[in-house]
PDB file of all heavy atoms in Angstrom:
ATOM      1  N   ILE H   1       0.919  -1.143  -0.002  1.00 97.00           N
ATOM      2  CA  ILE H   1       0.005   0.005   0.017  1.00 97.00           C
ATOM      3  C   ILE H   1       0.916   1.211   0.024  1.00 97.00           C
ATOM      4  O   ILE H   1       1.566   1.459   1.032  1.00 97.00           O
ATOM      5  CB  ILE H   1      -0.935  -0.032   1.227  1.00 97.00           C
ATOM      6  CG1 ILE H   1      -1.804  -1.231   1.232  1.00 97.00           C
ATOM      7  CG2 ILE H   1      -1.759   1.282   1.253  1.00 97.00           C
ATOM      8  CD1 ILE H   1      -2.691  -1.378   2.454  1.00 97.00           C
ATOM      9  N   PRO H   2       1.094   1.826  -1.140  1.00 97.00           N
ATOM     10  CA  PRO H   2       2.229   2.803  -1.386  1.00 97.00           C
ATOM     11  C   PRO H   2       2.075   4.161  -0.708  1.00 97.00           C
ATOM     12  O   PRO H   2       2.028   5.200  -1.426  1.00 97.00           O
ATOM     13  CB  PRO H   2       2.254   2.880  -2.893  1.00 97.00           C
ATOM     14  CG  PRO H   2       0.850   2.706  -3.336  1.00 97.00           C
ATOM     15  CD  PRO H   2       0.274   1.689  -2.339  1.00 97.00           C
ATOM     16  N   CYS H   3       2.080   4.220   0.568  1.00 95.00           N
ATOM     17  CA  CYS H   3       2.001   5.506   1.284  1.00 95.00           C
ATOM     18  C   CYS H   3       3.292   6.340   1.009  1.00 95.00           C
ATOM     19  O   CYS H   3       3.221   7.558   1.174  1.00 95.00           O
ATOM     20  CB  CYS H   3       1.760   5.286   2.759  1.00 95.00           C
ATOM     21  SG  CYS H   3       2.999   4.299   3.565  1.00 95.00           S
ATOM     22  N   HIS H   4       4.364   5.707   0.561  1.00 95.00           N
ATOM     23  CA  HIS H   4       5.557   6.442   0.257  1.00 95.00           C
ATOM     24  C   HIS H   4       5.368   7.350  -0.977  1.00 95.00           C
ATOM     25  O   HIS H   4       6.182   8.294  -1.175  1.00 95.00           O
ATOM     26  CB  HIS H   4       6.747   5.491   0.030  1.00 95.00           C
ATOM     27  CG  HIS H   4       6.560   4.528  -1.119  1.00 95.00           C
ATOM     28  ND1 HIS H   4       5.812   3.353  -0.961  1.00 95.00           N
ATOM     29  CD2 HIS H   4       6.965   4.577  -2.435  1.00 95.00           C
ATOM     30  CE1 HIS H   4       5.830   2.731  -2.164  1.00 95.00           C
ATOM     31  NE2 HIS H   4       6.505   3.483  -3.039  1.00 95.00           N
ATOM     32  N   ARG H   5       4.286   7.124  -1.747  1.00 95.00           N
ATOM     33  CA  ARG H   5       4.064   7.926  -2.889  1.00 95.00           C
ATOM     34  C   ARG H   5       3.237   9.227  -2.615  1.00 95.00           C
ATOM     35  O   ARG H   5       2.876   9.927  -3.534  1.00 95.00           O
ATOM     36  CB  ARG H   5       3.244   7.107  -3.979  1.00 95.00           C
ATOM     37  CG  ARG H   5       4.100   5.942  -4.465  1.00 95.00           C
ATOM     38  CD  ARG H   5       3.290   5.145  -5.522  1.00 95.00           C
ATOM     39  NE  ARG H   5       4.109   3.916  -5.864  1.00 95.00           N
ATOM     40  CZ  ARG H   5       3.526   2.848  -6.231  1.00 95.00           C
ATOM     41  NH1 ARG H   5       2.193   2.721  -6.404  1.00 95.00           N
ATOM     42  NH2 ARG H   5       4.307   1.703  -6.562  1.00 95.00           N
ATOM     43  N   VAL H   6       3.059   9.483  -1.372  1.00 95.00           N
ATOM     44  CA  VAL H   6       2.359  10.735  -0.939  1.00 95.00           C
ATOM     45  C   VAL H   6       3.305  11.646  -0.304  1.00 95.00           C
ATOM     46  O   VAL H   6       4.044  11.356   0.599  1.00 95.00           O
ATOM     47  CB  VAL H   6       1.187  10.341   0.014  1.00 95.00           C
ATOM     48  CG1 VAL H   6       0.417  11.625   0.365  1.00 95.00           C
ATOM     49  CG2 VAL H   6       0.303   9.309  -0.587  1.00 95.00           C
ATOM     50  N   ILE H   7       3.258  12.932  -0.865  1.00 92.00           N
ATOM     51  CA  ILE H   7       4.242  13.969  -0.398  1.00 92.00           C
ATOM     52  C   ILE H   7       3.418  15.171   0.062  1.00 92.00           C
ATOM     53  O   ILE H   7       2.216  15.308  -0.198  1.00 92.00           O
ATOM     54  CB  ILE H   7       5.185  14.343  -1.505  1.00 92.00           C
ATOM     55  CG1 ILE H   7       4.485  14.913  -2.727  1.00 92.00           C
ATOM     56  CG2 ILE H   7       6.029  13.099  -1.915  1.00 92.00           C
ATOM     57  CD1 ILE H   7       5.387  15.496  -3.829  1.00 92.00           C
ATOM     58  N   GLY H   8       4.151  16.179   0.668  1.00 89.00           N
ATOM     59  CA  GLY H   8       3.565  17.413   1.030  1.00 89.00           C
ATOM     60  C   GLY H   8       3.179  18.275  -0.265  1.00 89.00           C
ATOM     61  O   GLY H   8       3.780  18.110  -1.298  1.00 89.00           O
ATOM     62  N   ARG H   9       2.235  19.188  -0.035  1.00 85.00           N
ATOM     63  CA  ARG H   9       1.790  19.973  -1.141  1.00 85.00           C
ATOM     64  C   ARG H   9       2.921  20.842  -1.829  1.00 85.00           C
ATOM     65  O   ARG H   9       2.897  21.085  -2.972  1.00 85.00           O
ATOM     66  CB  ARG H   9       0.633  20.889  -0.650  1.00 85.00           C
ATOM     67  CG  ARG H   9      -0.017  21.592  -1.801  1.00 85.00           C
ATOM     68  CD  ARG H   9      -1.270  22.252  -1.358  1.00 85.00           C
ATOM     69  NE  ARG H   9      -1.016  23.308  -0.396  1.00 85.00           N
ATOM     70  CZ  ARG H   9      -1.939  23.970   0.198  1.00 85.00           C
ATOM     71  NH1 ARG H   9      -3.220  23.740   0.000  1.00 85.00           N
ATOM     72  NH2 ARG H   9      -1.596  24.972   1.063  1.00 85.00           N
ATOM     73  N   ASN H  10       3.890  21.249  -0.996  1.00 83.00           N
ATOM     74  CA  ASN H  10       4.995  22.033  -1.455  1.00 83.00           C
ATOM     75  C   ASN H  10       6.159  21.139  -2.100  1.00 83.00           C
ATOM     76  O   ASN H  10       7.189  21.648  -2.449  1.00 83.00           O
ATOM     77  CB  ASN H  10       5.597  22.921  -0.382  1.00 83.00           C
ATOM     78  CG  ASN H  10       6.157  22.074   0.759  1.00 83.00           C
ATOM     79  OD1 ASN H  10       6.115  20.856   0.798  1.00 83.00           O
ATOM     80  ND2 ASN H  10       6.663  22.773   1.772  1.00 83.00           N
ATOM     81  N   GLY H  11       5.860  19.837  -2.200  1.00 82.00           N
ATOM     82  CA  GLY H  11       6.821  18.921  -2.770  1.00 82.00           C
ATOM     83  C   GLY H  11       7.777  18.314  -1.800  1.00 82.00           C
ATOM     84  O   GLY H  11       8.596  17.434  -2.166  1.00 82.00           O
ATOM     85  N   ASN H  12       7.712  18.682  -0.534  1.00 81.00           N
ATOM     86  CA  ASN H  12       8.570  18.139   0.503  1.00 81.00           C
ATOM     87  C   ASN H  12       8.089  16.729   0.843  1.00 81.00           C
ATOM     88  O   ASN H  12       6.897  16.433   0.887  1.00 81.00           O
ATOM     89  CB  ASN H  12       8.576  19.028   1.737  1.00 81.00           C
ATOM     90  CG  ASN H  12       9.322  20.283   1.551  1.00 81.00           C
ATOM     91  OD1 ASN H  12      10.097  20.432   0.636  1.00 81.00           O
ATOM     92  ND2 ASN H  12       9.039  21.254   2.418  1.00 81.00           N
ATOM     93  N   LEU H  13       9.039  15.901   1.226  1.00 85.00           N
ATOM     94  CA  LEU H  13       8.756  14.645   1.742  1.00 85.00           C
ATOM     95  C   LEU H  13       8.257  14.783   3.144  1.00 85.00           C
ATOM     96  O   LEU H  13       8.868  15.544   3.922  1.00 85.00           O
ATOM     97  CB  LEU H  13       9.941  13.660   1.673  1.00 85.00           C
ATOM     98  CG  LEU H  13      10.573  13.450   0.307  1.00 85.00           C
ATOM     99  CD1 LEU H  13      11.697  12.453   0.417  1.00 85.00           C
ATOM    100  CD2 LEU H  13       9.563  12.948  -0.649  1.00 85.00           C
ATOM    101  N   ARG H  14       7.218  14.121   3.534  1.00 79.00           N
ATOM    102  CA  ARG H  14       6.713  14.167   4.878  1.00 79.00           C
ATOM    103  C   ARG H  14       6.843  12.825   5.515  1.00 79.00           C
ATOM    104  O   ARG H  14       7.367  11.898   4.919  1.00 79.00           O
ATOM    105  CB  ARG H  14       5.208  14.587   4.868  1.00 79.00           C
ATOM    106  CG  ARG H  14       4.968  15.958   4.301  1.00 79.00           C
ATOM    107  CD  ARG H  14       5.172  16.962   5.350  1.00 79.00           C
ATOM    108  NE  ARG H  14       4.796  18.304   4.790  1.00 79.00           N
ATOM    109  CZ  ARG H  14       5.587  19.357   4.866  1.00 79.00           C
ATOM    110  NH1 ARG H  14       6.797  19.289   5.433  1.00 79.00           N
ATOM    111  NH2 ARG H  14       5.197  20.518   4.417  1.00 79.00           N
ATOM    112  N   GLY H  15       6.507  12.686   6.800  1.00 78.00           N
ATOM    113  CA  GLY H  15       6.726  11.473   7.548  1.00 78.00           C
ATOM    114  C   GLY H  15       6.516  10.144   6.877  1.00 78.00           C
ATOM    115  O   GLY H  15       5.646  10.047   5.953  1.00 78.00           O
ATOM    116  N   TYR H  16       7.266   9.160   7.274  1.00 81.00           N
ATOM    117  CA  TYR H  16       7.146   7.806   6.764  1.00 81.00           C
ATOM    118  C   TYR H  16       7.634   6.961   7.913  1.00 81.00           C
ATOM    119  O   TYR H  16       8.691   7.150   8.498  1.00 81.00           O
ATOM    120  CB  TYR H  16       8.035   7.619   5.539  1.00 81.00           C
ATOM    121  CG  TYR H  16       7.867   6.315   4.857  1.00 81.00           C
ATOM    122  CD1 TYR H  16       6.645   5.844   4.325  1.00 81.00           C
ATOM    123  CD2 TYR H  16       8.944   5.467   4.684  1.00 81.00           C
ATOM    124  CE1 TYR H  16       6.500   4.614   3.657  1.00 81.00           C
ATOM    125  CE2 TYR H  16       8.814   4.229   4.073  1.00 81.00           C
ATOM    126  CZ  TYR H  16       7.661   3.838   3.535  1.00 81.00           C
ATOM    127  OH  TYR H  16       7.501   2.629   2.941  1.00 81.00           O
ATOM    128  N   ALA H  17       6.821   5.952   8.302  1.00 77.00           N
ATOM    129  CA  ALA H  17       7.132   5.139   9.493  1.00 77.00           C
ATOM    130  C   ALA H  17       8.555   4.668   9.539  1.00 77.00           C
ATOM    131  O   ALA H  17       9.228   4.715  10.555  1.00 77.00           O
ATOM    132  CB  ALA H  17       6.157   3.984   9.609  1.00 77.00           C
ATOM    133  N   PRO H  18       9.131   4.091   8.479  1.00 81.00           N
ATOM    134  CA  PRO H  18      10.503   3.614   8.523  1.00 81.00           C
ATOM    135  C   PRO H  18      11.522   4.783   8.492  1.00 81.00           C
ATOM    136  O   PRO H  18      12.690   4.587   8.718  1.00 81.00           O
ATOM    137  CB  PRO H  18      10.643   2.770   7.272  1.00 81.00           C
ATOM    138  CG  PRO H  18       9.326   2.396   6.831  1.00 81.00           C
ATOM    139  CD  PRO H  18       8.425   3.595   7.243  1.00 81.00           C
ATOM    140  N   GLY H  19      11.071   5.984   8.185  1.00 83.00           N
ATOM    141  CA  GLY H  19      11.954   7.177   8.099  1.00 83.00           C
ATOM    142  C   GLY H  19      11.887   7.800   6.759  1.00 83.00           C
ATOM    143  O   GLY H  19      11.715   7.129   5.696  1.00 83.00           O
ATOM    144  N   VAL H  20      11.924   9.140   6.711  1.00 88.00           N
ATOM    145  CA  VAL H  20      11.827   9.854   5.434  1.00 88.00           C
ATOM    146  C   VAL H  20      12.940   9.481   4.498  1.00 88.00           C
ATOM    147  O   VAL H  20      12.825   9.428   3.263  1.00 88.00           O
ATOM    148  CB  VAL H  20      11.809  11.396   5.684  1.00 88.00           C
ATOM    149  CG1 VAL H  20      11.873  12.177   4.411  1.00 88.00           C
ATOM    150  CG2 VAL H  20      10.560  11.746   6.482  1.00 88.00           C
ATOM    151  N   ASP H  21      14.127   9.135   5.047  1.00 91.00           N
ATOM    152  CA  ASP H  21      15.184   8.684   4.124  1.00 91.00           C
ATOM    153  C   ASP H  21      14.826   7.477   3.401  1.00 91.00           C
ATOM    154  O   ASP H  21      15.233   7.186   2.243  1.00 91.00           O
ATOM    155  CB  ASP H  21      16.497   8.468   4.973  1.00 91.00           C
ATOM    156  CG  ASP H  21      16.372   7.453   6.070  1.00 91.00           C
ATOM    157  OD1 ASP H  21      15.246   7.379   6.718  1.00 91.00           O
ATOM    158  OD2 ASP H  21      17.312   6.664   6.320  1.00 91.00           O
ATOM    159  N   LYS H  22      14.041   6.532   4.007  1.00 91.00           N
ATOM    160  CA  LYS H  22      13.586   5.335   3.355  1.00 91.00           C
ATOM    161  C   LYS H  22      12.508   5.687   2.293  1.00 91.00           C
ATOM    162  O   LYS H  22      12.533   5.091   1.221  1.00 91.00           O
ATOM    163  CB  LYS H  22      13.017   4.316   4.366  1.00 91.00           C
ATOM    164  CG  LYS H  22      13.829   4.068   5.555  1.00 91.00           C
ATOM    165  CD  LYS H  22      15.166   3.405   5.217  1.00 91.00           C
ATOM    166  CE  LYS H  22      15.845   2.839   6.441  1.00 91.00           C
ATOM    167  NZ  LYS H  22      16.864   3.537   7.012  1.00 91.00           N
ATOM    168  N   LYS H  23      11.681   6.631   2.559  1.00 91.00           N
ATOM    169  CA  LYS H  23      10.708   7.080   1.573  1.00 91.00           C
ATOM    170  C   LYS H  23      11.477   7.607   0.315  1.00 91.00           C
ATOM    171  O   LYS H  23      11.069   7.329  -0.804  1.00 91.00           O
ATOM    172  CB  LYS H  23       9.887   8.252   2.189  1.00 91.00           C
ATOM    173  CG  LYS H  23       8.754   8.742   1.313  1.00 91.00           C
ATOM    174  CD  LYS H  23       7.961   9.750   2.146  1.00 91.00           C
ATOM    175  CE  LYS H  23       6.594   9.992   1.531  1.00 91.00           C
ATOM    176  NZ  LYS H  23       5.642  10.664   2.456  1.00 91.00           N
ATOM    177  N   GLU H  24      12.484   8.369   0.534  1.00 91.00           N
ATOM    178  CA  GLU H  24      13.278   8.927  -0.562  1.00 91.00           C
ATOM    179  C   GLU H  24      13.892   7.777  -1.363  1.00 91.00           C
ATOM    180  O   GLU H  24      13.843   7.820  -2.637  1.00 91.00           O
ATOM    181  CB  GLU H  24      14.398   9.819  -0.018  1.00 91.00           C
ATOM    182  CG  GLU H  24      15.199  10.495  -1.132  1.00 91.00           C
ATOM    183  CD  GLU H  24      16.204  11.502  -0.613  1.00 91.00           C
ATOM    184  OE1 GLU H  24      16.248  11.709   0.641  1.00 91.00           O
ATOM    185  OE2 GLU H  24      16.982  12.025  -1.420  1.00 91.00           O
ATOM    186  N   ILE H  25      14.385   6.742  -0.742  1.00 92.00           N
ATOM    187  CA  ILE H  25      14.982   5.598  -1.442  1.00 92.00           C
ATOM    188  C   ILE H  25      13.856   4.973  -2.327  1.00 92.00           C
ATOM    189  O   ILE H  25      14.136   4.653  -3.498  1.00 92.00           O
ATOM    190  CB  ILE H  25      15.520   4.557  -0.476  1.00 92.00           C
ATOM    191  CG1 ILE H  25      16.800   5.140   0.208  1.00 92.00           C
ATOM    192  CG2 ILE H  25      15.872   3.220  -1.185  1.00 92.00           C
ATOM    193  CD1 ILE H  25      17.235   4.298   1.376  1.00 92.00           C
ATOM    194  N   LEU H  26      12.698   4.702  -1.809  1.00 94.00           N
ATOM    195  CA  LEU H  26      11.654   4.135  -2.610  1.00 94.00           C
ATOM    196  C   LEU H  26      11.191   4.973  -3.733  1.00 94.00           C
ATOM    197  O   LEU H  26      11.007   4.482  -4.871  1.00 94.00           O
ATOM    198  CB  LEU H  26      10.382   3.776  -1.667  1.00 94.00           C
ATOM    199  CG  LEU H  26      10.705   2.761  -0.569  1.00 94.00           C
ATOM    200  CD1 LEU H  26       9.518   2.685   0.352  1.00 94.00           C
ATOM    201  CD2 LEU H  26      10.998   1.391  -1.186  1.00 94.00           C
ATOM    202  N   LEU H  27      11.104   6.324  -3.522  1.00 93.00           N
ATOM    203  CA  LEU H  27      10.667   7.191  -4.621  1.00 93.00           C
ATOM    204  C   LEU H  27      11.753   7.248  -5.702  1.00 93.00           C
ATOM    205  O   LEU H  27      11.474   7.275  -6.857  1.00 93.00           O
ATOM    206  CB  LEU H  27      10.381   8.577  -4.069  1.00 93.00           C
ATOM    207  CG  LEU H  27       9.116   8.696  -3.253  1.00 93.00           C
ATOM    208  CD1 LEU H  27       8.954  10.077  -2.665  1.00 93.00           C
ATOM    209  CD2 LEU H  27       7.862   8.273  -3.974  1.00 93.00           C
ATOM    210  N   LYS H  28      12.987   7.223  -5.279  1.00 91.00           N
ATOM    211  CA  LYS H  28      14.128   7.211  -6.280  1.00 91.00           C
ATOM    212  C   LYS H  28      14.104   5.902  -7.056  1.00 91.00           C
ATOM    213  O   LYS H  28      14.305   5.868  -8.250  1.00 91.00           O
ATOM    214  CB  LYS H  28      15.428   7.479  -5.620  1.00 91.00           C
ATOM    215  CG  LYS H  28      15.711   8.877  -5.268  1.00 91.00           C
ATOM    216  CD  LYS H  28      17.047   9.050  -4.640  1.00 91.00           C
ATOM    217  CE  LYS H  28      17.339  10.586  -4.391  1.00 91.00           C
ATOM    218  NZ  LYS H  28      18.651  10.799  -3.768  1.00 91.00           N
ATOM    219  N   LEU H  29      13.807   4.781  -6.349  1.00 92.00           N
ATOM    220  CA  LEU H  29      13.659   3.526  -6.960  1.00 92.00           C
ATOM    221  C   LEU H  29      12.641   3.547  -8.030  1.00 92.00           C
ATOM    222  O   LEU H  29      12.844   3.057  -9.112  1.00 92.00           O
ATOM    223  CB  LEU H  29      13.359   2.443  -5.943  1.00 92.00           C
ATOM    224  CG  LEU H  29      13.144   1.033  -6.425  1.00 92.00           C
ATOM    225  CD1 LEU H  29      14.551   0.360  -6.564  1.00 92.00           C
ATOM    226  CD2 LEU H  29      12.302   0.238  -5.450  1.00 92.00           C
ATOM    227  N   GLU H  30      11.563   4.255  -7.753  1.00 93.00           N
ATOM    228  CA  GLU H  30      10.426   4.295  -8.725  1.00 93.00           C
ATOM    229  C   GLU H  30      10.616   5.503  -9.656  1.00 93.00           C
ATOM    230  O   GLU H  30       9.701   5.851 -10.495  1.00 93.00           O
ATOM    231  CB  GLU H  30       9.075   4.390  -7.987  1.00 93.00           C
ATOM    232  CG  GLU H  30       8.816   3.220  -7.179  1.00 93.00           C
ATOM    233  CD  GLU H  30       7.402   3.272  -6.520  1.00 93.00           C
ATOM    234  OE1 GLU H  30       6.627   4.198  -6.817  1.00 93.00           O
ATOM    235  OE2 GLU H  30       7.116   2.445  -5.622  1.00 93.00           O
ATOM    236  N   LYS H  31      11.685   6.256  -9.496  1.00 86.00           N
ATOM    237  CA  LYS H  31      11.989   7.416 -10.313  1.00 86.00           C
ATOM    238  C   LYS H  31      10.989   8.489 -10.192  1.00 86.00           C
ATOM    239  O   LYS H  31      10.847   9.377 -11.089  1.00 86.00           O
ATOM    240  CB  LYS H  31      12.204   7.045 -11.781  1.00 86.00           C
ATOM    241  CG  LYS H  31      13.267   5.956 -11.921  1.00 86.00           C
ATOM    242  CD  LYS H  31      13.987   6.085 -13.220  1.00 86.00           C
ATOM    243  CE  LYS H  31      15.038   5.000 -13.482  1.00 86.00           C
ATOM    244  NZ  LYS H  31      15.737   4.389 -12.464  1.00 86.00           N
ATOM    245  N   ALA H  32      10.231   8.598  -9.087  1.00 62.00           N
ATOM    246  CA  ALA H  32       9.239   9.622  -8.940  1.00 62.00           C
ATOM    247  C   ALA H  32       9.865  10.834  -8.217  1.00 62.00           C
ATOM    248  O   ALA H  32       9.365  11.938  -8.312  1.00 62.00           O
ATOM    249  CB  ALA H  32       8.029   9.110  -8.148  1.00 62.00           C
ATOM    250  N   PHE H  33      10.874  10.625  -7.405  1.00 55.00           N
ATOM    251  CA  PHE H  33      11.393  11.656  -6.588  1.00 55.00           C
ATOM    252  C   PHE H  33      12.056  12.761  -7.375  1.00 55.00           C
ATOM    253  O   PHE H  33      12.026  13.948  -6.993  1.00 55.00           O
ATOM    254  CB  PHE H  33      12.422  11.033  -5.593  1.00 55.00           C
ATOM    255  CG  PHE H  33      13.033  12.064  -4.630  1.00 55.00           C
ATOM    256  CD1 PHE H  33      12.242  12.534  -3.600  1.00 55.00           C
ATOM    257  CD2 PHE H  33      14.254  12.545  -4.793  1.00 55.00           C
ATOM    258  CE1 PHE H  33      12.698  13.438  -2.719  1.00 55.00           C
ATOM    259  CE2 PHE H  33      14.797  13.442  -3.914  1.00 55.00           C
ATOM    260  CZ  PHE H  33      13.973  13.922  -2.868  1.00 55.00           C
ATOM    261  N   ASN H  34      12.601  12.469  -8.493  1.00 49.00           N
ATOM    262  CA  ASN H  34      13.349  13.492  -9.273  1.00 49.00           C
ATOM    263  C   ASN H  34      12.555  14.229 -10.308  1.00 49.00           C
ATOM    264  O   ASN H  34      13.044  14.780 -11.271  1.00 49.00           O
ATOM    265  CB  ASN H  34      14.549  12.795  -9.988  1.00 49.00           C
ATOM    266  CG  ASN H  34      15.601  12.370  -8.932  1.00 49.00           C
ATOM    267  OD1 ASN H  34      15.858  13.007  -7.953  1.00 49.00           O
ATOM    268  ND2 ASN H  34      16.182  11.206  -9.222  1.00 49.00           N
ATOM    269  N   LEU H  35      11.178  14.272 -10.099  1.00 47.00           N
ATOM    270  CA  LEU H  35      10.353  14.998 -11.004  1.00 47.00           C
ATOM    271  C   LEU H  35      10.712  16.514 -10.905  1.00 47.00           C
ATOM    272  O   LEU H  35      10.987  17.000  -9.829  1.00 47.00           O
ATOM    273  CB  LEU H  35       8.872  14.829 -10.655  1.00 47.00           C
ATOM    274  CG  LEU H  35       8.379  13.381 -10.816  1.00 47.00           C
ATOM    275  CD1 LEU H  35       6.900  13.317 -10.322  1.00 47.00           C
ATOM    276  CD2 LEU H  35       8.419  12.981 -12.271  1.00 47.00           C
ATOM    277  N   VAL H  36      10.813  17.185 -12.034  1.00 35.00           N
ATOM    278  CA  VAL H  36      11.113  18.565 -12.016  1.00 35.00           C
ATOM    279  C   VAL H  36      10.077  19.458 -11.328  1.00 35.00           C
ATOM    280  O   VAL H  36      10.402  20.282 -10.548  1.00 35.00           O
ATOM    281  CB  VAL H  36      11.257  19.063 -13.467  1.00 35.00           C
ATOM    282  CG1 VAL H  36      11.514  20.553 -13.540  1.00 35.00           C
ATOM    283  CG2 VAL H  36      12.408  18.312 -14.201  1.00 35.00           C
ATOM    284  N   SER H  37       8.830  19.094 -11.572  1.00 39.00           N
ATOM    285  CA  SER H  37       7.771  19.859 -10.855  1.00 39.00           C
ATOM    286  C   SER H  37       6.609  18.918 -10.663  1.00 39.00           C
ATOM    287  O   SER H  37       6.491  17.906 -11.297  1.00 39.00           O
ATOM    288  CB  SER H  37       7.306  21.052 -11.741  1.00 39.00           C
ATOM    289  OG  SER H  37       6.701  20.630 -12.903  1.00 39.00           O
ATOM    290  N   TYR H  38       5.783  19.334  -9.716  1.00 44.00           N
ATOM    291  CA  TYR H  38       4.593  18.520  -9.405  1.00 44.00           C
ATOM    292  C   TYR H  38       3.390  19.514  -9.372  1.00 44.00           C
ATOM    293  O   TYR H  38       3.441  20.502  -8.776  1.00 44.00           O
ATOM    294  CB  TYR H  38       4.711  17.807  -8.061  1.00 44.00           C
ATOM    295  CG  TYR H  38       3.430  17.104  -7.749  1.00 44.00           C
ATOM    296  CD1 TYR H  38       3.102  15.959  -8.363  1.00 44.00           C
ATOM    297  CD2 TYR H  38       2.492  17.666  -6.813  1.00 44.00           C
ATOM    298  CE1 TYR H  38       1.922  15.301  -8.100  1.00 44.00           C
ATOM    299  CE2 TYR H  38       1.329  17.057  -6.575  1.00 44.00           C
ATOM    300  CZ  TYR H  38       1.049  15.835  -7.216  1.00 44.00           C
ATOM    301  OH  TYR H  38      -0.176  15.201  -6.979  1.00 44.00           O
ATOM    302  N   CYS H  39       2.356  19.153 -10.086  1.00 44.00           N
ATOM    303  CA  CYS H  39       1.153  19.959 -10.104  1.00 44.00           C
ATOM    304  C   CYS H  39       0.099  19.322  -9.239  1.00 44.00           C
ATOM    305  O   CYS H  39      -0.409  18.233  -9.623  1.00 44.00           O
ATOM    306  CB  CYS H  39       0.621  20.152 -11.518  1.00 44.00           C
ATOM    307  SG  CYS H  39       1.840  21.012 -12.565  1.00 44.00           S
ATOM    308  N   SER H  40      -0.271  19.943  -8.210  1.00 43.00           N
ATOM    309  CA  SER H  40      -1.316  19.448  -7.330  1.00 43.00           C
ATOM    310  C   SER H  40      -2.703  19.775  -7.947  1.00 43.00           C
ATOM    311  O   SER H  40      -2.766  20.711  -8.798  1.00 43.00           O
ATOM    312  CB  SER H  40      -1.216  20.111  -5.957  1.00 43.00           C
ATOM    313  OG  SER H  40      -2.251  19.674  -5.109  1.00 43.00           O
ATOM    314  N   THR H  41      -3.707  19.161  -7.505  1.00 45.00           N
ATOM    315  CA  THR H  41      -5.065  19.414  -7.988  1.00 45.00           C
ATOM    316  C   THR H  41      -5.699  20.644  -7.322  1.00 45.00           C
ATOM    317  O   THR H  41      -6.807  20.955  -7.596  1.00 45.00           O
ATOM    318  CB  THR H  41      -5.994  18.209  -7.780  1.00 45.00           C
ATOM    319  OG1 THR H  41      -5.998  17.889  -6.415  1.00 45.00           O
ATOM    320  CG2 THR H  41      -5.534  17.044  -8.645  1.00 45.00           C
ATOM    321  N   ASP H  42      -4.908  21.286  -6.335  1.00 42.00           N
ATOM    322  CA  ASP H  42      -5.601  22.461  -5.667  1.00 42.00           C
ATOM    323  C   ASP H  42      -5.307  23.734  -6.397  1.00 42.00           C
ATOM    324  O   ASP H  42      -4.617  23.889  -7.301  1.00 42.00           O
ATOM    325  CB  ASP H  42      -5.088  22.534  -4.262  1.00 42.00           C
ATOM    326  CG  ASP H  42      -3.555  22.704  -4.083  1.00 42.00           C
ATOM    327  OD1 ASP H  42      -2.902  22.548  -5.080  1.00 42.00           O
ATOM    328  OD2 ASP H  42      -3.151  22.999  -2.944  1.00 42.00           O
TER     329      ASP H  42
END
């Protein structure tokens, strides 16, 4: 259940039970972390 794919509205990584550093590893693994920009629906 990919809670690691949820980030703060400003693009910052927010809490992750194993640690934000682990969230970053998973996002980099999935190549989502290095997106140039993110457009929220708000």
